[in-house]
mmCIF file of all heavy atoms in Angstrom:
data_model
loop_
_atom_site.group_PDB
_atom_site.id
_atom_site.type_symbol
_atom_site.label_atom_id
_atom_site.label_comp_id
_atom_site.label_asym_id
_atom_site.label_seq_id
_atom_site.Cartn_x
_atom_site.Cartn_y
_atom_site.Cartn_z
ATOM 1 N N VAL A 1 45.367 -42.406 -56.182
ATOM 2 C CA VAL A 1 46.185 -41.573 -57.055
ATOM 3 C C VAL A 1 45.449 -40.251 -57.252
ATOM 4 O O VAL A 1 44.226 -40.237 -57.420
ATOM 5 C CB VAL A 1 46.411 -42.269 -58.410
ATOM 6 C CG1 VAL A 1 47.142 -41.346 -59.382
ATOM 7 C CG2 VAL A 1 47.184 -43.563 -58.215
ATOM 8 N N ILE A 2 46.171 -39.145 -57.232
ATOM 9 C CA ILE A 2 45.559 -37.826 -57.419
ATOM 10 C C ILE A 2 46.065 -37.228 -58.724
ATOM 11 O O ILE A 2 47.262 -37.267 -59.014
ATOM 12 C CB ILE A 2 45.878 -36.888 -56.242
ATOM 13 C CG1 ILE A 2 45.348 -37.479 -54.933
ATOM 14 C CG2 ILE A 2 45.282 -35.499 -56.475
ATOM 15 C CD1 ILE A 2 45.727 -36.676 -53.700
ATOM 16 N N LEU A 3 45.146 -36.679 -59.506
ATOM 17 C CA LEU A 3 45.494 -36.022 -60.762
ATOM 18 C C LEU A 3 45.086 -34.554 -60.690
ATOM 19 O O LEU A 3 43.960 -34.241 -60.302
ATOM 20 C CB LEU A 3 44.789 -36.705 -61.933
ATOM 21 C CG LEU A 3 45.144 -36.232 -63.349
ATOM 22 C CD1 LEU A 3 44.968 -37.370 -64.349
ATOM 23 C CD2 LEU A 3 44.296 -35.042 -63.796
ATOM 24 N N ILE A 4 46.006 -33.671 -61.063
ATOM 25 C CA ILE A 4 45.723 -32.233 -61.100
ATOM 26 C C ILE A 4 45.793 -31.765 -62.555
ATOM 27 O O ILE A 4 46.853 -31.828 -63.169
ATOM 28 C CB ILE A 4 46.727 -31.429 -60.253
ATOM 29 C CG1 ILE A 4 46.717 -31.909 -58.808
ATOM 30 C CG2 ILE A 4 46.407 -29.935 -60.323
ATOM 31 C CD1 ILE A 4 47.765 -31.234 -57.934
ATOM 32 N N PRO A 5 44.682 -31.319 -63.132
ATOM 33 C CA PRO A 5 44.748 -30.728 -64.480
ATOM 34 C C PRO A 5 44.952 -29.216 -64.383
ATOM 35 O O PRO A 5 44.563 -28.585 -63.397
ATOM 36 C CB PRO A 5 43.374 -31.046 -65.065
ATOM 37 C CG PRO A 5 42.465 -31.172 -63.885
ATOM 38 C CD PRO A 5 43.301 -31.510 -62.677
ATOM 39 N N SER A 6 45.574 -28.637 -65.382
ATOM 40 C CA SER A 6 45.589 -27.178 -65.478
ATOM 41 C C SER A 6 44.261 -26.727 -66.072
ATOM 42 O O SER A 6 43.461 -27.534 -66.533
ATOM 43 C CB SER A 6 46.770 -26.704 -66.333
ATOM 44 O OG SER A 6 46.768 -27.332 -67.596
ATOM 45 N N ALA A 7 44.013 -25.427 -66.035
ATOM 46 C CA ALA A 7 42.748 -24.867 -66.531
ATOM 47 C C ALA A 7 42.941 -24.297 -67.925
ATOM 48 O O ALA A 7 44.047 -23.933 -68.322
ATOM 49 C CB ALA A 7 42.244 -23.790 -65.580
ATOM 50 N N GLN A 8 41.841 -24.172 -68.653
ATOM 51 C CA GLN A 8 41.893 -23.688 -70.024
ATOM 52 C C GLN A 8 42.050 -22.173 -70.080
ATOM 53 O O GLN A 8 41.752 -21.457 -69.124
ATOM 54 C CB GLN A 8 40.615 -24.103 -70.759
ATOM 55 C CG GLN A 8 40.654 -23.873 -72.261
ATOM 56 C CD GLN A 8 39.611 -24.695 -72.989
ATOM 57 O OE1 GLN A 8 38.899 -25.475 -72.381
ATOM 58 N NE2 GLN A 8 39.509 -24.533 -74.299
ATOM 59 N N ASP A 9 42.550 -21.705 -71.194
ATOM 60 C CA ASP A 9 42.592 -20.270 -71.472
ATOM 61 C C ASP A 9 41.181 -19.685 -71.350
ATOM 62 O O ASP A 9 40.189 -20.331 -71.711
ATOM 63 C CB ASP A 9 43.137 -20.042 -72.874
ATOM 64 C CG ASP A 9 43.232 -18.582 -73.242
ATOM 65 O OD1 ASP A 9 43.939 -17.844 -72.539
ATOM 66 O OD2 ASP A 9 42.593 -18.182 -74.235
ATOM 67 N N ILE A 10 41.083 -18.468 -70.832
ATOM 68 C CA ILE A 10 39.790 -17.828 -70.558
ATOM 69 C C ILE A 10 39.816 -16.387 -71.060
ATOM 70 O O ILE A 10 40.839 -15.695 -70.953
ATOM 71 C CB ILE A 10 39.501 -17.821 -69.029
ATOM 72 C CG1 ILE A 10 39.282 -19.248 -68.523
ATOM 73 C CG2 ILE A 10 38.281 -16.953 -68.693
ATOM 74 C CD1 ILE A 10 39.200 -19.336 -67.007
ATOM 75 N N ASN A 11 38.689 -15.933 -71.609
ATOM 76 C CA ASN A 11 38.481 -14.515 -71.886
ATOM 77 C C ASN A 11 37.341 -14.035 -70.996
ATOM 78 O O ASN A 11 36.232 -14.548 -71.091
ATOM 79 C CB ASN A 11 38.116 -14.274 -73.351
ATOM 80 C CG ASN A 11 39.218 -14.720 -74.289
ATOM 81 O OD1 ASN A 11 40.391 -14.561 -73.996
ATOM 82 N ND2 ASN A 11 38.834 -15.297 -75.417
ATOM 83 N N LYS A 12 37.607 -13.098 -70.129
ATOM 84 C CA LYS A 12 36.591 -12.585 -69.213
ATOM 85 C C LYS A 12 36.169 -11.193 -69.663
ATOM 86 O O LYS A 12 36.983 -10.257 -69.687
ATOM 87 C CB LYS A 12 37.147 -12.545 -67.782
ATOM 88 C CG LYS A 12 36.167 -12.070 -66.718
ATOM 89 C CD LYS A 12 35.033 -13.047 -66.511
ATOM 90 C CE LYS A 12 34.151 -12.612 -65.353
ATOM 91 N NZ LYS A 12 32.942 -13.428 -65.229
ATOM 92 N N LYS A 13 34.885 -11.079 -70.053
ATOM 93 C CA LYS A 13 34.338 -9.807 -70.520
ATOM 94 C C LYS A 13 35.174 -9.215 -71.656
ATOM 95 O O LYS A 13 35.490 -8.027 -71.683
ATOM 96 C CB LYS A 13 34.217 -8.812 -69.356
ATOM 97 C CG LYS A 13 33.206 -9.241 -68.305
ATOM 98 C CD LYS A 13 33.067 -8.209 -67.196
ATOM 99 C CE LYS A 13 32.032 -8.661 -66.164
ATOM 100 N NZ LYS A 13 31.881 -7.684 -65.060
ATOM 101 N N GLY A 14 35.579 -10.075 -72.578
ATOM 102 C CA GLY A 14 36.303 -9.636 -73.765
ATOM 103 C C GLY A 14 37.798 -9.514 -73.602
ATOM 104 O O GLY A 14 38.509 -9.279 -74.585
ATOM 105 N N LYS A 15 38.309 -9.671 -72.384
ATOM 106 C CA LYS A 15 39.746 -9.550 -72.147
ATOM 107 C C LYS A 15 40.340 -10.909 -71.804
ATOM 108 O O LYS A 15 39.771 -11.666 -71.023
ATOM 109 C CB LYS A 15 40.019 -8.560 -71.013
ATOM 110 C CG LYS A 15 39.599 -7.132 -71.337
ATOM 111 C CD LYS A 15 39.957 -6.189 -70.203
ATOM 112 C CE LYS A 15 39.563 -4.749 -70.529
ATOM 113 N NZ LYS A 15 39.899 -3.818 -69.423
ATOM 114 N N ASN A 16 41.512 -11.180 -72.381
ATOM 115 C CA ASN A 16 42.160 -12.456 -72.122
ATOM 116 C C ASN A 16 42.721 -12.494 -70.699
ATOM 117 O O ASN A 16 43.355 -11.541 -70.238
ATOM 118 C CB ASN A 16 43.291 -12.689 -73.119
ATOM 119 C CG ASN A 16 43.907 -14.064 -72.985
ATOM 120 O OD1 ASN A 16 45.063 -14.205 -72.606
ATOM 121 N ND2 ASN A 16 43.138 -15.101 -73.294
ATOM 122 N N VAL A 17 42.444 -13.599 -70.003
ATOM 123 C CA VAL A 17 42.915 -13.773 -68.625
ATOM 124 C C VAL A 17 44.279 -14.445 -68.677
ATOM 125 O O VAL A 17 44.382 -15.672 -68.803
ATOM 126 C CB VAL A 17 41.915 -14.608 -67.799
ATOM 127 C CG1 VAL A 17 42.401 -14.761 -66.366
ATOM 128 C CG2 VAL A 17 40.537 -13.953 -67.824
ATOM 129 N N THR A 18 45.310 -13.649 -68.601
ATOM 130 C CA THR A 18 46.678 -14.154 -68.766
ATOM 131 C C THR A 18 47.124 -15.051 -67.617
ATOM 132 O O THR A 18 48.073 -15.816 -67.762
ATOM 133 C CB THR A 18 47.662 -12.985 -68.905
ATOM 134 O OG1 THR A 18 47.533 -12.123 -67.753
ATOM 135 C CG2 THR A 18 47.356 -12.168 -70.158
ATOM 136 N N ALA A 19 46.440 -14.958 -66.474
ATOM 137 C CA ALA A 19 46.838 -15.761 -65.308
ATOM 138 C C ALA A 19 46.595 -17.252 -65.516
ATOM 139 O O ALA A 19 47.062 -18.064 -64.724
ATOM 140 C CB ALA A 19 46.101 -15.275 -64.060
ATOM 141 N N ALA A 20 45.865 -17.631 -66.572
ATOM 142 C CA ALA A 20 45.668 -19.064 -66.849
ATOM 143 C C ALA A 20 47.014 -19.746 -67.059
ATOM 144 O O ALA A 20 47.209 -20.894 -66.628
ATOM 145 C CB ALA A 20 44.782 -19.237 -68.078
ATOM 146 N N LYS A 21 47.939 -19.056 -67.706
ATOM 147 C CA LYS A 21 49.272 -19.626 -67.923
ATOM 148 C C LYS A 21 50.024 -19.754 -66.596
ATOM 149 O O LYS A 21 50.726 -20.744 -66.358
ATOM 150 C CB LYS A 21 50.056 -18.749 -68.901
ATOM 151 C CG LYS A 21 51.409 -19.326 -69.289
ATOM 152 C CD LYS A 21 52.066 -18.479 -70.352
ATOM 153 C CE LYS A 21 53.415 -19.084 -70.772
ATOM 154 N NZ LYS A 21 54.057 -18.286 -71.856
ATOM 155 N N GLN A 22 49.882 -18.762 -65.717
ATOM 156 C CA GLN A 22 50.527 -18.834 -64.397
ATOM 157 C C GLN A 22 49.975 -20.001 -63.588
ATOM 158 O O GLN A 22 50.722 -20.718 -62.919
ATOM 159 C CB GLN A 22 50.288 -17.534 -63.622
ATOM 160 C CG GLN A 22 50.910 -16.295 -64.230
ATOM 161 C CD GLN A 22 50.454 -15.051 -63.469
ATOM 162 O OE1 GLN A 22 49.550 -14.338 -63.899
ATOM 163 N NE2 GLN A 22 51.053 -14.811 -62.337
ATOM 164 N N TYR A 23 48.656 -20.192 -63.664
ATOM 165 C CA TYR A 23 48.062 -21.292 -62.905
ATOM 166 C C TYR A 23 48.533 -22.644 -63.449
ATOM 167 O O TYR A 23 48.769 -23.582 -62.677
ATOM 168 C CB TYR A 23 46.532 -21.235 -62.940
ATOM 169 C CG TYR A 23 45.929 -22.421 -62.227
ATOM 170 C CD1 TYR A 23 45.971 -22.502 -60.834
ATOM 171 C CD2 TYR A 23 45.388 -23.487 -62.931
ATOM 172 C CE1 TYR A 23 45.468 -23.611 -60.172
ATOM 173 C CE2 TYR A 23 44.882 -24.599 -62.271
ATOM 174 C CZ TYR A 23 44.923 -24.653 -60.894
ATOM 175 O OH TYR A 23 44.450 -25.764 -60.243
ATOM 176 N N ALA A 24 48.672 -22.755 -64.767
ATOM 177 C CA ALA A 24 49.169 -24.010 -65.347
ATOM 178 C C ALA A 24 50.558 -24.338 -64.806
ATOM 179 O O ALA A 24 50.863 -25.498 -64.481
ATOM 180 C CB ALA A 24 49.190 -23.912 -66.868
ATOM 181 N N ALA A 25 51.401 -23.312 -64.677
ATOM 182 C CA ALA A 25 52.747 -23.530 -64.133
ATOM 183 C C ALA A 25 52.676 -23.948 -62.664
ATOM 184 O O ALA A 25 53.420 -24.829 -62.216
ATOM 185 C CB ALA A 25 53.581 -22.267 -64.289
ATOM 186 N N LEU A 26 51.761 -23.323 -61.904
ATOM 187 C CA LEU A 26 51.611 -23.682 -60.491
ATOM 188 C C LEU A 26 51.073 -25.107 -60.347
ATOM 189 O O LEU A 26 51.554 -25.882 -59.514
ATOM 190 C CB LEU A 26 50.674 -22.693 -59.790
ATOM 191 C CG LEU A 26 50.334 -23.016 -58.330
ATOM 192 C CD1 LEU A 26 51.596 -23.029 -57.461
ATOM 193 C CD2 LEU A 26 49.319 -22.026 -57.780
ATOM 194 N N ALA A 27 50.079 -25.462 -61.151
ATOM 195 C CA ALA A 27 49.505 -26.816 -61.076
ATOM 196 C C ALA A 27 50.569 -27.858 -61.379
ATOM 197 O O ALA A 27 50.655 -28.902 -60.722
ATOM 198 C CB ALA A 27 48.332 -26.943 -62.043
ATOM 199 N N ARG A 28 51.421 -27.581 -62.378
ATOM 200 C CA ARG A 28 52.521 -28.498 -62.711
ATOM 201 C C ARG A 28 53.479 -28.634 -61.533
ATOM 202 O O ARG A 28 53.892 -29.739 -61.172
ATOM 203 C CB ARG A 28 53.259 -27.995 -63.948
ATOM 204 C CG ARG A 28 54.409 -28.892 -64.388
ATOM 205 C CD ARG A 28 55.235 -28.262 -65.497
ATOM 206 N NE ARG A 28 54.515 -28.194 -66.743
ATOM 207 C CZ ARG A 28 54.091 -27.075 -67.313
ATOM 208 N NH1 ARG A 28 54.315 -25.912 -66.704
ATOM 209 N NH2 ARG A 28 53.451 -27.086 -68.442
ATOM 210 N N LYS A 29 53.817 -27.507 -60.926
ATOM 211 C CA LYS A 29 54.761 -27.509 -59.800
ATOM 212 C C LYS A 29 54.201 -28.303 -58.621
ATOM 213 O O LYS A 29 54.891 -29.144 -58.027
ATOM 214 C CB LYS A 29 55.047 -26.068 -59.370
ATOM 215 C CG LYS A 29 55.935 -25.918 -58.143
ATOM 216 C CD LYS A 29 56.181 -24.443 -57.856
ATOM 217 C CE LYS A 29 57.125 -24.245 -56.671
ATOM 218 N NZ LYS A 29 56.504 -24.629 -55.392
ATOM 219 N N VAL A 30 52.941 -28.036 -58.254
ATOM 220 C CA VAL A 30 52.323 -28.728 -57.117
ATOM 221 C C VAL A 30 52.212 -30.222 -57.385
ATOM 222 O O VAL A 30 52.483 -31.055 -56.509
ATOM 223 C CB VAL A 30 50.939 -28.122 -56.797
ATOM 224 C CG1 VAL A 30 50.199 -28.958 -55.758
ATOM 225 C CG2 VAL A 30 51.096 -26.686 -56.291
ATOM 226 N N ALA A 31 51.853 -30.577 -58.614
ATOM 227 C CA ALA A 31 51.741 -32.004 -58.963
ATOM 228 C C ALA A 31 53.097 -32.692 -58.837
ATOM 229 O O ALA A 31 53.211 -33.773 -58.238
ATOM 230 C CB ALA A 31 51.186 -32.152 -60.373
ATOM 231 N N LEU A 32 54.131 -32.084 -59.393
ATOM 232 C CA LEU A 32 55.475 -32.672 -59.375
ATOM 233 C C LEU A 32 55.986 -32.848 -57.954
ATOM 234 O O LEU A 32 56.511 -33.899 -57.596
ATOM 235 C CB LEU A 32 56.427 -31.780 -60.174
ATOM 236 C CG LEU A 32 57.913 -32.167 -60.148
ATOM 237 C CD1 LEU A 32 58.112 -33.525 -60.803
ATOM 238 C CD2 LEU A 32 58.748 -31.114 -60.842
ATOM 239 N N GLU A 33 55.787 -31.815 -57.130
ATOM 240 C CA GLU A 33 56.359 -31.840 -55.785
ATOM 241 C C GLU A 33 55.547 -32.656 -54.797
ATOM 242 O O GLU A 33 56.025 -32.956 -53.699
ATOM 243 C CB GLU A 33 56.513 -30.401 -55.266
ATOM 244 C CG GLU A 33 57.530 -29.592 -56.066
ATOM 245 C CD GLU A 33 57.628 -28.144 -55.597
ATOM 246 O OE1 GLU A 33 56.840 -27.758 -54.699
ATOM 247 O OE2 GLU A 33 58.491 -27.415 -56.129
ATOM 248 N N ASN A 34 54.325 -33.042 -55.180
ATOM 249 C CA ASN A 34 53.458 -33.776 -54.259
ATOM 250 C C ASN A 34 53.024 -35.131 -54.818
ATOM 251 O O ASN A 34 52.021 -35.690 -54.394
ATOM 252 C CB ASN A 34 52.240 -32.925 -53.899
ATOM 253 C CG ASN A 34 52.608 -31.717 -53.063
ATOM 254 O OD1 ASN A 34 52.695 -31.786 -51.844
ATOM 255 N ND2 ASN A 34 52.837 -30.589 -53.727
ATOM 256 N N ASN A 35 53.810 -35.645 -55.753
ATOM 257 C CA ASN A 35 53.625 -37.013 -56.257
ATOM 258 C C ASN A 35 52.230 -37.231 -56.840
ATOM 259 O O ASN A 35 51.557 -38.221 -56.545
ATOM 260 C CB ASN A 35 53.891 -38.036 -55.147
ATOM 261 C CG ASN A 35 54.122 -39.436 -55.693
ATOM 262 O OD1 ASN A 35 54.614 -39.594 -56.813
ATOM 263 N ND2 ASN A 35 53.747 -40.437 -54.921
ATOM 264 N N CYS A 36 51.789 -36.283 -57.663
ATOM 265 C CA CYS A 36 50.486 -36.385 -58.321
ATOM 266 C C CYS A 36 50.673 -36.514 -59.834
ATOM 267 O O CYS A 36 51.711 -36.126 -60.376
ATOM 268 C CB CYS A 36 49.628 -35.142 -58.049
ATOM 269 S SG CYS A 36 49.236 -34.865 -56.318
ATOM 270 N N LEU A 37 49.673 -37.031 -60.496
ATOM 271 C CA LEU A 37 49.641 -36.961 -61.951
ATOM 272 C C LEU A 37 49.310 -35.528 -62.369
ATOM 273 O O LEU A 37 48.677 -34.778 -61.622
ATOM 274 C CB LEU A 37 48.573 -37.906 -62.512
ATOM 275 C CG LEU A 37 48.725 -39.394 -62.215
ATOM 276 C CD1 LEU A 37 47.562 -40.168 -62.820
ATOM 277 C CD2 LEU A 37 50.040 -39.934 -62.738
ATOM 278 N N PHE A 38 49.714 -35.155 -63.577
ATOM 279 C CA PHE A 38 49.433 -33.812 -64.085
ATOM 280 C C PHE A 38 48.949 -33.920 -65.524
ATOM 281 O O PHE A 38 49.545 -34.613 -66.339
ATOM 282 C CB PHE A 38 50.694 -32.949 -64.026
ATOM 283 C CG PHE A 38 50.530 -31.581 -64.636
ATOM 284 C CD1 PHE A 38 49.616 -30.678 -64.107
ATOM 285 C CD2 PHE A 38 51.276 -31.197 -65.737
ATOM 286 C CE1 PHE A 38 49.451 -29.418 -64.663
ATOM 287 C CE2 PHE A 38 51.124 -29.939 -66.303
ATOM 288 C CZ PHE A 38 50.209 -29.050 -65.764
ATOM 289 N N TYR A 39 47.839 -33.254 -65.824
ATOM 290 C CA TYR A 39 47.308 -33.184 -67.189
ATOM 291 C C TYR A 39 47.294 -31.722 -67.599
ATOM 292 O O TYR A 39 46.527 -30.920 -67.059
ATOM 293 C CB TYR A 39 45.896 -33.777 -67.250
ATOM 294 C CG TYR A 39 45.262 -33.733 -68.624
ATOM 295 C CD1 TYR A 39 45.919 -34.241 -69.742
ATOM 296 C CD2 TYR A 39 43.992 -33.195 -68.805
ATOM 297 C CE1 TYR A 39 45.335 -34.221 -70.995
ATOM 298 C CE2 TYR A 39 43.393 -33.168 -70.067
ATOM 299 C CZ TYR A 39 44.071 -33.684 -71.151
ATOM 300 O OH TYR A 39 43.477 -33.652 -72.395
ATOM 301 N N ASP A 40 48.135 -31.361 -68.564
ATOM 302 C CA ASP A 40 48.301 -29.959 -68.932
ATOM 303 C C ASP A 40 47.242 -29.546 -69.951
ATOM 304 O O ASP A 40 47.523 -29.340 -71.132
ATOM 305 C CB ASP A 40 49.700 -29.714 -69.485
ATOM 306 C CG ASP A 40 50.101 -28.248 -69.356
ATOM 307 O OD1 ASP A 40 49.201 -27.413 -69.129
ATOM 308 O OD2 ASP A 40 51.299 -27.939 -69.451
#
């Protein structure tokens, strides 16, 4: 069984990395379409 977790919110050099939310959506999509568990 394969589990894909999303990544946590990140601030890089004082600025919020907004792409963490995009990656969470991608991880969910890949997990769903490839029969994996997903931990958000």
